[in-house]
């Protein structure tokens, strides 16, 4: 057996640590191979890390007895980086604890590398933290056994953009393992993505895009979701009272308005027509209204209605002005036009937190 590192300090520290866990030299000798090289410093780092993240004496002893390979194949300081990233995406300590207990292979060097690859991939496509947490908790064994391409390689391979890729994985999380696999065996069939684009292409043809044109290629990247989802979102505007052809021209001019879920679009339409009592046609002039959060919309509408009832503001401001301008300007130009405005604005913000 070849020893790498200071045998007089690091090796002795590992042995002493194992003795403290009731795992002596006999246990160590049983699981080490004279055909392998061991980095005692890295092993010691991992044992200290496990202790730090909650694997105290009895728990650590049980873990090593169940998975003795962890002594020889651990990743040391890299695992610490991995745990830090777990914390950053929102994993709680008890969840990390369970992940390691259920999947001790996460501590192996090759597993840590793959987990960090997966986290980097998901971060690069701007995946929400909540999704990443669920993904890690549900699919850790698959992550540990999969090696990923970089997002740019996937974009180029399948001719899809960042947002489209993010949406695909949100809808079918397991697609990540086939889309981004480094091995040909696991890669997604192009036909399935072609079918997905075919649905979307059908929808875009209805809007007036020309098949196989450069404009169609750009539109496929701008519109997010399946063809049937885009149609449902489109129909929200027609059902609200807009003419079909008007909606068609609107979404061609501002495709991002169809990139919100159907229920969110419906809520924003209700806020506009029932709460603010503006005609649905207002979105034609200010389609970006649909891109703002419900919280922002509710705060701005509530303040505007309060001012309007007191004749302290123009009766029919555009949506772009009400929702789009900064908080600083909304205070300067509108809130401060009434003596009670500042206090009312603060109460509205507090009520919506």
């Amino acid at each position: 057996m070849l020893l790498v590192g200071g045998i007089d300090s690091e090796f002795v520290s590992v042995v002493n640590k194992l003795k403290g866990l009731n795992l002596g030299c006999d246990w160590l000798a049983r699981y080490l191979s004279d055909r392998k090289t061991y980095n005692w410093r890295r092993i010691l780092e991992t044992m200290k890390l496990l202790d730090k993240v909650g694997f105290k004496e009895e728990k650590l002893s049980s873990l090593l007895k169940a998975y003795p390979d962890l002594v020889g194949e651990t990743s040391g300081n890299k695992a610490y980086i991995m745990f830090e990233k777990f914390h950053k995406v929102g994993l709680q300590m008890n969840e990390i604890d369970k992940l390691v207990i259920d999947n001790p292979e996460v501590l192996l060097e090759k597993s840590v590398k793959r987990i960090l690859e997966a986290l980097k991939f998901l971060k690069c496509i701007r995946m929400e933290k909540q999704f990443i947490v669920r993904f890690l908790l549900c699919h850790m064994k698959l992550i540990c056994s999969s090696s990923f391409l970089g997002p740019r390689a996937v974009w180029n391979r399948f001719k899809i953009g960042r947002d489209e890729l993010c949406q695909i994985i949100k809808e079918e999380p397991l697609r990540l393992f086939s889309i981004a696999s480094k091995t040909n065996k696991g890669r997604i069939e192009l036909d399935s993505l072609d079918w997905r684009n075919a649905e979307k292409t059908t929808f875009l043809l209805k809007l007036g895009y020309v098949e196989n044109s450069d404009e169609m290629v750009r539109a496929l990247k701008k519109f997010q979701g399946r063809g049937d989802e885009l149609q449902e979102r489109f129909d929200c505007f027609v059902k609200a009272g807009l003419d079909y052809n008007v909606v068609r021209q609107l979404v061609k001019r501002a495709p991002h308005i169809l990139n919100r879920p159907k229920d969110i679009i419906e809520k924003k339409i209700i806020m506009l027509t029932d709460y603010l009592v503006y005609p649905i046609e207002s979105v034609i002039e200010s389609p970006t209204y649909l891109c703002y959060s419900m919280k922002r919309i509710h705060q701005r509408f509530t303040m505007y209605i309060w001012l309007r009832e007191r004749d302290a503001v123009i009766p029919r401001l555009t949506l772009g002005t009400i929702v789009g301008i900064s908080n600083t300007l909304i205070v300067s130009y509108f809130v401060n036009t009434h003596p009670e405005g500042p206090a009312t604005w603060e109460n509205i913000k507090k009520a919506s937190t």
Side-chain angles (χ1 to χ4, degrees):
M1 172 172 33
L2 195 59
L3 305 180
V4 176
I7 191 169
D8 58 327
S9 57
E10 291 152 3
F11 173 69
V12 171
S13 295
V14 170
V15 171
N16 287 337
K17 181 75 174 173
L18 291 172
K19 283 180 179 178
L21 300 172
N22 294 319
L23 301 171
C25 292
D26 290 344
W27 180 89
L28 185 61
R30 197 180 312 145
Y31 293 106
L32 296 184
S33 169
D34 57 5
R35 296 178 182 177
K36 289 185 178 180
T37 299
Y38 297 96
N39 189 321
W40 302 109
R41 179 182 299 158
R42 183 181 292 169
I43 292 168
L44 190 60
E45 283 175 353
T46 303
M47 293 175 77
K48 287 179 178 177
L49 172 63
L50 286 168
D51 181 80
K52 200 178 286 186
V53 298
F55 283 83
K56 304 299 179 184
E57 297 169 0
E58 188 175 340
K59 194 186 281 188
L60 180 55
S61 177
S62 299
L63 182 68
L64 293 177
K65 283 177 182 176
Y67 299 95
D69 283 352
L70 292 178
V71 174
E73 303 292 338
T74 50
S75 56
N77 194 49
K78 289 179 184 176
Y80 186 76
I81 295 170
M82 176 182 71
F83 284 126
E84 278 191 330
K85 290 188 181 293
F86 283 168
H87 280 298
K88 284 182 180 178
V89 298
L91 275 170
Q92 301 300 310
M93 195 60 244
N94 64 315
E95 292 173 324
I96 295 174
D97 191 0
K98 189 174 187 305
L99 266 182
V100 176
I101 292 171
D102 294 345
N103 311 278
E105 65 270 23
V106 301
L107 297 170
L108 301 179
E109 186 170 11
K110 63 182 179 181
S111 295
V112 171
K113 182 182 177 184
R114 289 167 176 173
I115 292 166
L116 292 176
E117 281 179 351
L119 287 170
K120 184 178 179 181
F121 189 102
L122 293 170
K123 183 180 178 183
C124 189
I125 63 172
R126 298 174 185 163
M127 185 63 74
E128 292 93 341
K129 287 184 177 180
Q130 298 95 315
F131 177 93
I132 296 175
V133 167
R134 290 197 306 273
F135 188 77
L136 292 171
L137 293 175
C138 296
H139 305 299
M140 185 53 75
K141 287 193 183 296
L142 272 173
I143 295 170
C144 289
S145 60
S146 304
S147 193
F148 297 99
L149 294 166
R152 193 167 298 280
V154 177
W155 301 336
N156 292 336
R157 178 177 173 81
F158 297 114
K159 304 296 186 291
I160 54 176
R162 183 203 309 266
D163 294 336
E164 176 75 0
L165 179 56
C166 186
Q167 189 65 29
I168 290 170
I169 294 168
K170 273 187 196 173
E171 292 169 6
E172 298 178 66
L174 292 177
R175 280 281 185 91
L176 176 62
F177 299 104
S178 50
I179 289 175
S181 172
K182 281 185 179 177
T183 60
N184 288 326
K185 183 181 177 182
R187 283 187 181 161
I188 192 170
E189 303 259 338
L190 278 173
D191 287 347
S192 60
L193 268 181
D194 287 344
W195 173 81
R196 179 191 175 85
N197 278 340
E199 273 195 324
K200 192 185 291 187
T201 299
T202 301
F203 170 76
L204 294 177
L205 288 171
K206 291 179 186 176
L207 296 186
Y209 287 95
V210 178
E211 193 166 9
N212 298 323
S213 66
D214 290 342
E215 188 185 23
M216 173 71 86
V217 171
R218 289 193 294 271
L220 284 168
K221 293 179 180 179
K222 288 178 181 177
F223 287 92
Q224 297 172 21
R226 300 189 308 269
D228 59 327
E229 291 173 330
L230 292 168
Q231 187 63 58
E232 284 182 345
R233 298 166 194 171
F234 181 96
D235 292 342
C236 288
F237 297 99
V238 177
K239 289 175 183 176
L242 286 178
D243 179 78
Y244 177 91
N245 288 320
V246 170
V247 181
R248 188 166 63 84
Q249 292 303 319
L250 178 63
V251 298
K252 286 189 75 174
R253 178 163 58 90
H256 53 271
I257 69 172
L258 294 190
N259 290 344
R260 271 66 189 165
K262 177 190 172 187
D263 62 319
I264 297 297
I265 293 173
E266 288 174 335
K267 286 177 183 177
K268 289 178 180 178
I269 289 174
I270 290 169
M271 282 290 291
L272 174 66
T273 58
D274 295 3
Y275 188 59
L276 190 63
V277 197
Y278 265 33
I280 184 61
E281 286 78 11
S282 304
V283 299
I284 300 170
E285 184 181 16
S286 306
T288 53
Y289 154 72
L290 295 152
C291 300
Y292 290 102
S293 69
M294 287 297 297
K295 179 180 176 181
R296 183 184 180 107
I297 291 169
H298 187 268
Q299 286 180 353
R300 297 296 183 86
F301 280 10
T302 303
M303 188 69 222
Y304 179 68
I305 290 167
W306 187 90
L307 290 167
R308 188 172 62 185
E309 289 171 349
R310 288 157 181 79
D311 297 321
V313 71
I314 297 170
R316 188 55 68 85
L317 285 174
T318 66
L319 290 177
T321 301
I322 299 171
V323 181
I325 65 174
S326 68
N327 282 332
T328 303
L329 292 177
I330 203 85
V331 171
S332 299
Y333 295 161
F334 302 109
V335 174
N336 289 341
T337 60
H338 192 282
E340 297 173 23
T344 302
W345 177 237
E346 289 306 314
N347 289 334
I348 289 169
K349 289 194 292 182
K350 285 178 184 176
S352 61
T353 54

